[in-house]
Amino acid sequence: MIDTIAELQQQHPWLNFEIQIQDSQKIAQQIMQAELDFGMILDPVQHAHLDVLSFVELPLGFVMSPEHPLAQQTKLSLSQTHADRHIIAQAPLVIHDRVDAIYKRQQMSPQQKIESNDIRIILSLLKKNVGIAIMSWLDVYTHVQRGELYFIPYRDAAIQPVTLALCVAPKRQLSRAAQLFMQQLMKNMQQVNFDSI
């Protein structure tokens, strides 16, 4: 989203943007009620009054400071992290249900844990090398790119990735500016490559 705004601002400096951050259900309602031109929704629920124009699946993985001893690994299992402090995402974060399912599936309850429902707090703790967390690539990719955090994909076919979808109301007539933004955003979404992680 930020890359798309930066690119469009350079190409079309006359464009103005209004960005709202809400939970996915609220964004879906605002799109259906024509309060928003379009929205990015995490794990959208199929709805007759909402069209998905583009989507990307974002893997989950172990996240830690580059100084953490496990950051040297390229593959990691949950059992290998048993001795570590776990920072666990709580509801209403979208990844909570998946993270909870991973621990239950592996029948593991970390002895040392910190639980939080705020991504910023989790990221800050990880950067301070307080522990490890299971998070989605969406939550951490900018921090990984800057070398602040390390991401090891979690490999389990039973755990679904997080879906990020570009959604609009069906048959809604959008402004030229909104169409430009969506076209660039779809292009950027299709360029997301997870082979490098």
Side-chain angles (χ1 to χ4, degrees):
M1 179 72 75
I2 301 303
D3 291 343
T4 301
I5 292 170
E7 290 165 12
L8 283 176
Q9 197 64 47
Q10 289 206 351
Q11 297 166 14
H12 308 282
W14 49 269
L15 284 178
N16 294 317
F17 304 93
E18 180 183 340
I19 300 166
Q20 297 183 19
I21 306 295
Q22 303 284 347
D23 65 47
S24 291
Q25 185 178 353
K26 175 77 172 167
I27 292 172
Q29 289 172 352
Q30 288 180 304
I31 293 168
M32 290 184 282
Q33 295 167 357
E35 295 172 19
L36 295 176
D37 289 330
F38 62 90
M40 299 295 294
I41 299 177
L42 289 170
D43 289 339
V45 176
Q46 189 172 4
H47 198 290
H49 301 293
L50 205 61
D51 282 347
V52 174
L53 298 183
S54 184
F55 71 93
V56 62
E57 292 185 331
L58 305 157
L60 269 66
F62 297 98
V63 182
M64 63 204 72
S65 164
E67 287 83 39
H68 194 284
L70 292 175
Q72 306 307 314
Q73 305 292 324
T74 55
K75 292 182 182 178
L76 196 57
S77 68
L78 194 60
S79 62
Q80 290 174 274
T81 69
H82 185 69
D84 292 284
R85 179 180 310 279
H86 288 241
I87 304 167
I88 302 172
Q90 291 296 297
L93 295 176
V94 170
I95 60 170
H96 165 69
D97 290 340
R98 287 176 180 84
V99 171
D100 191 46
I102 289 170
Y103 285 107
K104 286 180 180 172
R105 188 169 164 78
Q106 298 296 320
Q107 298 179 349
M108 181 178 167
S109 179
Q111 295 194 6
Q112 298 180 47
K113 62 184 176 182
I114 298 171
E115 298 175 304
S116 177
N117 66 355
D118 187 283
I119 290 292
R120 293 166 299 203
I121 289 174
I122 295 172
L123 292 171
S124 295
L125 290 168
L126 290 168
K127 288 178 191 176
K128 294 284 186 184
N129 202 13
V130 172
I132 66 165
I134 298 173
M135 301 179 77
S136 91
W137 179 243
L138 175 68
D139 297 321
V140 300
Y141 84 98
T142 55
H143 305 280
V144 171
Q145 303 255 336
R146 290 190 293 239
E148 299 168 344
L149 293 173
Y150 190 72
F151 183 89
I152 303 171
Y154 182 76
R155 313 236 186 248
D156 184 342
I159 303 299
Q160 296 296 314
V162 174
T163 300
L164 178 65
L166 174 61
C167 300
V168 296
K171 301 178 184 173
R172 170 106 192 263
Q173 294 295 330
L174 296 175
S175 68
R176 177 74 180 129
Q179 291 175 23
L180 280 170
F181 195 113
M182 288 191 315
Q183 288 168 358
Q184 187 65 43
L185 191 54
M186 286 189 287
K187 179 181 167 190
N188 289 351
M189 288 173 71
Q190 297 310 314
Q191 292 175 349
V192 174
N193 181 2
F194 301 114
D195 295 336
S196 61
I197 61 173

